[in-house]
Amino acid sequence: MKHLFSVCCTLFITTLLIAQDGHELWLRSSKAQPVNVVCSEKSPTLSIAIQELKDGWQGKPGTTITLTITKDKAIQYDGYKLSENAVQANNNKGILYGVYDFLRRQQTGESITNEVNNPSYEVRILNHWDNPDGSIERGYAGHSIFWRNDDAFAVTAQDKKLWQEYARANASIGINGTVLNNVNASPQILNPDYLNRVKAIADILRPYGMKVYLSVKFSSPVLLGKLKTSDPLDPEVIGWWKAKIKEIYSIVPDFGGLLVKASSEGQPGPQDFGRTHADGANMLADALKPYGGIVMWRAFVYSANDKDRAKQAYNEFMPLDGQFRDNVIIQVKNGPIDFQPREPFSALFGAMKKTSLMPEFQITQEYLGHSIHLVFLSPMWEECLQSDTYQQGDGSTVARCTDGSIYQQKYTAIAGVANIGLDTNWCGHHFAQANWYTFGRLAWNVNLKSEQIAEEWLKLTFYNDPSDKLGSSDYNASWTSDFLKPVKQMMLDSREAAVNYMTPLGLHHIMSANEHYGPGPWWAPEKMRADWTPPYYHQAAGNGVGFDRTLKGSDAVEQYHQPLASQFNDPATCPEKFLLWFHHLPWSYQMKSGHTLWDELCYDYDKGVQQVHSFQKTWDKVQPYVDSTRFIAVQRSLRGQSQNAVLWKDACLLYFQQFSQMPIPYELERPVNNLDEIIKNDSRRTTEH
Ligand code: BDP
């Protein structure tokens, strides 16, 4: 009888849940209580703050809240201080961030504390890899929200509405900058038509505290300015950039600065003229300086000739330490290779002591299942940020080496490659919104824990309270135990699951060619650059598997500070999660578990598959708590992810088995796909590309 009652209640609740398309993100409107807001100053940003309080107040009806601009030395940048009845900050943006925090706490039930809340990084910026034709490199959520092909320069009311929603979402999590175009930049972006559209975007974003930035192509002086060279030391080139930057600031007076991918993956750069990264970056920095602009210069460089791609950024940039202007920040991907499901942190963090560095994370899931796989990236970024570099003694974490705690930096910054597109729910997968949310939250507070972030996001995004009908406290309790707890756990486990079914034990870059989605450890066309093929990374052979980066191998371990260099160098002390990143080991190598390396690989791949199966169970069970639109969408994606995980496991184990010649442990599920068929399908796809 009791059971029947709860089934009835459950069905009742489900039918009460209003369909949600996810467009409101974590900012779903809720019935507000009346509130009086007192603010003696006026600005567009403050008007937004006041309106947000009025639209979202969940506290005691009739409360008076005072918004005050102060000169509190404890408050830095756009930080703020909250109390029961007030928000204080040193500037308008701080007030706005404080208001969003206030409302978030009301919705999630977190108490209001009187501490000062300062951001970890001054510049918290999204990088959109959006092209002028509206396509997005590595975008899985539709076309660009900024650019399009047809009627490219008309700014419609719909554009403005979307940009405003985008700005609001970013402001609500503290993101204060955005690069509007792809790092593989088209020179066109600097043409007046585009710059005018940049202005239109900037005008919408400004009241929300966001600045706009652009990626530029280093050869623009030749391509656009018709000069003979783009040599950064050439006076005409210097003059061209100065004039262009002056023009940009005349159109967008608070323009943030430039992002540059140079001498990297075929992009032009200072090295084409025998100059260094510092020559190139400083030339742009000097032109930006009078306006307060910055240069974010990427360290993502590698050439075909290097024996180990993982070493190259360090090799190229370390000798330049101390040579960059103070408005240059070197933008460094979290790992030494390329946004893999797991990499050790880039050895550049903490090593460049006289140069500003900023971490770059990839929110869009290029190597992590695009917008089909549910992968919560917070644990991955947390792992990187909290890694100890040991560069200035114990506790020199990547976070502390980049947020100004250890090294003096004129600017501190952190970037995330956006996963945003025109899809109604912005990110393709409903749970991919959590990664956008996480990036903002971590950029604001680098010490937040993944668990807290997941919990906040779930409460804001999925809590449905049909309380008027059912009595809220009962609902609350069951929502917490039957939805929040299991779904949070699923999120927290999801990144490790992806590592398990894709690249366990330090394997990396064994994705299928070009699109980097499915497995492709075999892919190596004859004339292809070796470092663009998976066998270069896994080195599987009869004698074992893994990339030897020890002192006897490529010596990449030497780029790390002690004790890491020694720890990584010895397979007995190297964390097993990085084992095959640093070592080439026999298939029969004994793991800590007592398994052979081969068996361990099999168990890990299998575990990944089982984890995704369990996510499906978790999700199906929470159906009563989720509106049907989002429930079905996530359920469908999980089915795809499950099939993909099995494919990954079968493909990798059957492929590696050709070298190990060892059986898959008999207690594990047998492969359900044949390797030759997987390879045939894959090659059909990769040649079609
Ligand atoms: C790689 C992507 C490529 C990007 C490049 C980059 O495959 O599309 O252009 O990174 O970050 O991961 O520049």
Side-chain angles (χ1 to χ4, degrees):
M1 190 61 196
K2 197 170 165 222
H3 177 68
L4 185 66
F5 175 74
S6 78
V7 169
C8 291
C9 275
T10 301
L11 289 174
F12 182 48
I13 294 171
T14 319
T15 51
L16 285 175
L17 301 177
I18 301 158
Q20 312 234 356
D21 59 14
H23 191 71
E24 288 186 287
L25 296 160
W26 48 87
L27 290 164
R28 293 172 315 140
S29 45
S30 39
K31 229 187 295 154
Q33 300 296 335
V35 61
N36 307 314
V37 186
V38 178
C39 180
S40 59
E41 307 198 28
K42 277 202 163 85
S43 79
T45 304
L46 291 172
S47 303
I48 294 171
I50 294 166
Q51 198 56 47
E52 290 286 9
L53 277 173
K54 291 189 173 160
D55 292 346
W57 184 254
Q58 305 289 308
K60 223 166 96 211
T63 308
T64 298
I65 290 283
T66 317
L67 309 181
T68 324
I69 310 271
T70 61
K71 281 201 182 99
D72 188 333
K73 281 206 182 72
I75 302 177
Q76 284 163 13
Y77 308 123
D78 32 23
Y80 54 85
K81 202 163 140 184
L82 303 183
S83 62
E84 288 301 330
N85 300 69
V87 181
Q88 290 177 47
N90 290 349
N91 54 42
N92 296 340
K93 287 198 235 175
I95 297 284
L96 184 63
Y97 295 138
V99 163
Y100 281 122
D101 189 5
F102 216 118
L103 296 173
R104 175 172 53 237
R105 284 166 193 263
Q106 289 187 335
Q107 285 189 34
T108 57
E110 208 186 313
S111 56
I112 311 282
T113 54
N114 283 14
E115 295 140 35
V116 169
N117 211 319
N118 286 325
S120 299
Y121 295 93
E122 184 182 357
V123 178
R124 307 170 294 277
I125 190 166
L126 289 179
N127 288 185
H128 286 262
W129 285 358
D130 296 15
N131 298 312
D133 67 0
S135 61
I136 303 182
E137 181 151 346
R138 313 302 178 186
Y140 313 107
H143 273 67
S144 170
I145 61 168
F146 300 121
W147 314 105
R148 61 169 166 258
N149 237 348
D150 299 341
D151 205 6
F153 303 111
V155 177
T156 65
Q158 211 181 341
D159 286 335
K160 288 189 182 169
K161 179 166 176 282
L162 198 65
W163 297 339
Q164 191 199 354
E165 290 167 344
Y166 164 85
R168 175 173 180 243
N170 281 313
S172 76
I173 48 174
I175 292 173
N176 64 358
T178 180
V179 181
L180 300 175
N181 64 315
N182 193 355
V183 283
N184 296 317
S186 156
Q188 286 174 55
I189 202 75
L190 295 175
N191 274 332
D193 280 342
Y194 285 95
L195 292 179
N196 283 328
R197 195 166 169 87
V198 170
K199 173 187 162 37
I201 298 168
D203 288 346
I204 306 276
L205 270 47
R206 185 173 299 112
Y208 287 90
M210 285 187 90
K211 280 188 181 182
V212 299
Y213 299 71
L214 290 175
S215 297
V216 291
K217 200 173 190 79
F218 201 75
S219 54
S220 297
V222 170
L223 298 173
L224 214 62
K226 307 285 174 239
L227 301 191
K228 286 200 185 65
T229 177
S230 294
D231 180 349
L233 301 191
D234 181 283
E236 268 195 80
V237 172
I238 297 171
W240 187 87
W241 279 111
K242 275 196 174 151
K244 185 46 86 180
I245 285 166
K246 187 174 177 196
E247 181 190 343
I248 298 177
Y249 277 92
S250 72
I251 300 171
V252 184
D254 58 350
F255 181 70
L258 302 176
L259 172 63
V260 192
K261 172 176 178 178
S263 299
S264 157
E265 289 188 333
Q267 290 294 337
Q271 293 176 348
D272 302 345
F273 311 97
R275 314 297 183 195
T276 67
H277 288 288
D279 294 329
N282 291 343
M283 180 269 294
L284 293 172
D286 289 343
L288 285 159
K289 184 91 176 176
Y291 310 95
I294 60 171
V295 176
M296 292 164 290
W297 189 271
R298 295 178 90 227
F300 178 65
V301 294
Y302 62 98
S303 75
N305 315 325
D306 207 83
K307 277 215 324 275
D308 182 0
R309 171 173 165 187
K311 290 175 66 179
Q312 203 161 334
Y314 185 99
N315 287 346
E316 273 191 37
F317 278 84
M318 278 305 283
L320 302 174
D321 193 17
Q323 293 185 26
F324 292 94
R325 302 281 190 265
D326 64 5
N327 58 335
V328 174
I329 314 185
I330 305 301
Q331 182 166 313
V332 182
K333 288 188 181 183
N334 53 284
I337 300 247
D338 194 3
F339 296 140
Q340 295 302 297
R342 170 165 277 132
E343 298 190 41
F345 67 88
S346 161
L348 275 172
F349 291 118
M352 288 185 87
K353 298 182 171 53
K354 292 174 280 181
T355 305
S356 302
L357 253 60
M358 61 189 281
E360 175 180 341
F361 294 135
Q362 195 180 40
I363 310 172
T364 190
Q365 292 167 233
E366 174 182 357
Y367 294 96
L368 282 130
H370 298 185
S371 56
I372 299 188
H373 294 203
L374 188 161
V375 186
F376 180 49
L377 300 175
S378 185
M380 175 160 104
W381 300 335
E382 193 184 336
E383 181 174 300
C384 169
L385 291 164
Q386 299 306 332
S387 292
D388 201 338
T389 70
Y390 294 98
Q391 288 286 352
Q392 299 289 312
D394 286 7
S396 313
T397 57
V398 170
R400 297 188 65 241
C401 287
T402 52
D403 70 2
S405 308
I406 294 184
Y407 302 118
Q408 289 287 320
Q409 296 197 185
K410 181 153 162 83
Y411 298 95
T412 60
I414 186 165
V417 180
N419 62 350
I420 296 160
L422 279 178
D423 276 7
T424 306
N425 74 7
W426 302 87
C427 303
H429 196 301
H430 288 281
F431 276 76
Q433 297 178 351
N435 294 329
W436 176 7
Y437 182 85
T438 299
F439 173 73
R441 297 291 287 132
L442 277 179
W444 185 277
N445 180 354
V446 81
N447 293 317
L448 280 183
K449 297 276 166 282
S450 297
E451 186 176 351
Q452 181 184 333
I453 299 173
E455 183 158 332
E456 271 178 20
W457 179 79
L458 281 169
K459 286 178 175 172
L460 297 169
T461 310
F462 277 104
Y463 185 70
N464 286 298
D465 186 1
S467 54
D468 6 354
K469 312 268 193 293
L470 283 176
S472 138
S473 62
D474 281 356
Y475 182 78
N476 229 331
S478 64
W479 188 84
T480 305
S481 62
D482 299 347
F483 178 86
L484 180 64
K485 221 169 137 225
V487 177
K488 183 171 72 179
Q489 198 54 51
M490 169 174 79
M491 290 174 75
L492 292 173
D493 292 343
S494 60
R495 183 275 186 134
E496 207 60 44
V499 170
N500 286 334
Y501 64 73
M502 288 182 179
T503 53
L505 298 178
L507 287 171
H508 50 286
H509 226 309
I510 57 173
M511 289 75 191
S512 164
N514 308 326
E515 55 169 18
H516 302 154
Y517 181 73
W522 49 82
W523 191 79
E526 237 173 72
K527 290 203 182 100
M528 182 57 61
R529 250 174 89 158
D531 61 350
W532 283 350
T533 70
Y536 170 93
Y537 298 97
H538 63 63
Q539 303 275 319
N543 70 356
V545 61
F547 198 120
D548 184 356
R549 297 194 164 103
T550 65
L551 297 176
K552 291 203 216 86
S554 81
D555 198 15
V557 291
E558 271 292 284
Q559 296 185 337
Y560 290 92
H561 198 280
Q562 289 296 8
L564 291 178
S566 306
Q567 212 183 81
F568 290 156
N569 189 55
D570 181 352
T573 53
C574 180
E576 288 190 340
K577 60 184 179 189
F578 297 135
L579 200 59
L580 303 179
W581 182 282
F582 288 112
H583 298 273
H584 184 83
L585 295 169
W587 297 102
S588 57
Y589 176 81
Q590 280 282 309
M591 302 292 291
K592 296 203 173 83
S593 63
H595 291 146
T596 61
L597 170 59
W598 165 253
D599 279 2
E600 190 89 350
L601 264 188
C602 295
Y603 281 108
D604 281 353
Y605 273 106
D606 189 70
K607 184 171 180 200
V609 170
Q610 302 311 327
Q611 283 173 298
V612 183
H613 290 344
S614 79
F615 299 162
Q616 289 187 278
K617 290 182 192 155
T618 299
W619 189 250
D620 280 357
K621 208 167 156 192
V622 301
Q623 179 168 15
Y625 296 94
V626 188
D627 58 282
S628 62
T629 315
R630 290 188 298 176
F631 177 78
I632 291 167
V634 173
Q635 187 184 51
R636 287 179 68 90
S637 301
L638 279 170
R639 287 178 186 154
Q641 184 174 358
S642 237
Q643 286 169 13
N644 290 167
V646 172
L647 190 78
W648 264 96
K649 172 191 153 193
D650 291 356
C652 293
L653 290 184
L654 292 174
Y655 171 77
F656 289 133
Q657 194 177 36
Q658 302 176 114
F659 304 100
S660 80
Q661 299 286 325
M662 291 160 91
I664 294 172
Y666 295 108
E667 65 183 12
L668 297 183
E669 299 267 340
R670 304 289 92 191
V672 294
N673 299 283
N674 291 309
L675 184 61
D676 52 350
E677 285 161 16
I678 304 176
I679 295 181
K680 204 164 79 201
N681 289 338
D682 182 54
S683 77
R684 205 174 296 139
R685 217 181 20 70
T686 47
T687 44
E688 269 166 16
H689 215 80

